[in-house]
Amino acid sequence: MEFTSNRVRYSFSIGSSQDISAFVERACELISEVTGGLTVLGGTGIWREDGNGQPPYTAAMDSEQATVLTFVVSPQEDPGIEEFKDLIRLAQTETKADISWVNAEIEPVSCDHFRADMPAVGQRETASHSGDGHVSGDGELTIRE
C-alpha cells in the first residue's frame, strides 16, 4: 500500500456540559486558516474523578459531551502544538465557552487524498446478495448469477 504523504495529525478533545457550538465554529475558522480544513467529531468524554492521579483509578466515573477537532499538517508546514493551543484559547476567550481542560494528541500518520467519484483503477472482486460481482477497470459492475 502506497501513501501520498507523511503528515502530523492533531486531535483536540474538548469537553463541556454546555452548548459550545459558537466556540467550535470559531475554532474551526481559526484552525482552518492554518491547516486548510479539519474534521469535527462528536461523542462522550468519560473519566474517573481520580484519573489525573496514579493507577489504580477507583473514584466515581463522570462524563460529558465531547467534541474532537482533528486535522493533519505536513511536517514542513507544522507550526507546532503551541500555535494550535493558542488558537483554541483564543476561540474560548472570544466565545466565552464553558471549557477548561482540553486533551491534545499528536501522532505521525501516512495520508492519501483521492476522488471517490472516479472510476476504479484495476479490477476489484465483490460479493452481492444474488451472486458474485466484478468491477472492471472502467468502473462497470457486473453481477454473475
Side-chain angles (χ1 to χ4, degrees), residues 24 56 71 85 90 98 100-102 135:
V24 171
F71 50 89
K85 286 181 181 178
L90 177 60
D98 181 26
S100 51
W101 288 99
V102 176
V135 178

Side-chain angles (χ1 to χ4, degrees), residues 7-120:
R7 298 276 193 240
V8 178
R9 176 186 296 140
Y10 286 90
S11 295
F12 293 92
S13 299
I14 301 130
S16 180
S17 58
Q18 307 295 316
D19 176 13
I20 60 168
S21 56
F23 161 81
V24 171
E25 182 177 338
R26 184 61 180 135
C28 288
E29 289 171 355
L30 294 168
I31 292 169
S32 66
E33 288 177 1
V34 177
T35 65
L38 64 155
T39 299
V40 178
L41 306 169
T44 303
I46 300 171
W47 67 94
R48 293 218 180 238
E49 291 177 3
D50 61 351
N52 63 346
Q54 295 295 315
Y57 305 110
T58 58
M61 292 183 65
D62 205 349
S63 67
E64 65 186 354
Q65 173 184 323
T67 301
V68 179
L69 308 177
T70 185
F71 50 89
V72 295
V73 294
S74 72
Q76 299 81 6
E77 297 171 0
D78 184 1
I81 191 165
E82 294 305 322
E83 172 76 12
F84 295 119
K85 286 181 181 178
D86 285 348
L87 295 176
I88 288 171
R89 288 179 176 126
L90 177 60
Q92 189 279 332
T93 300
E94 289 180 359
T95 63
K96 298 179 178 29
D98 181 26
I99 298 168
S100 51
W101 288 99
V102 176
N103 180 61
E105 297 177 9
I106 308 162
E107 58 190 329
V109 294
S110 295
C111 298
D112 198 359
H113 197 145
F114 67 95
R115 300 256 329 234
D117 59 351
M118 300 297 290

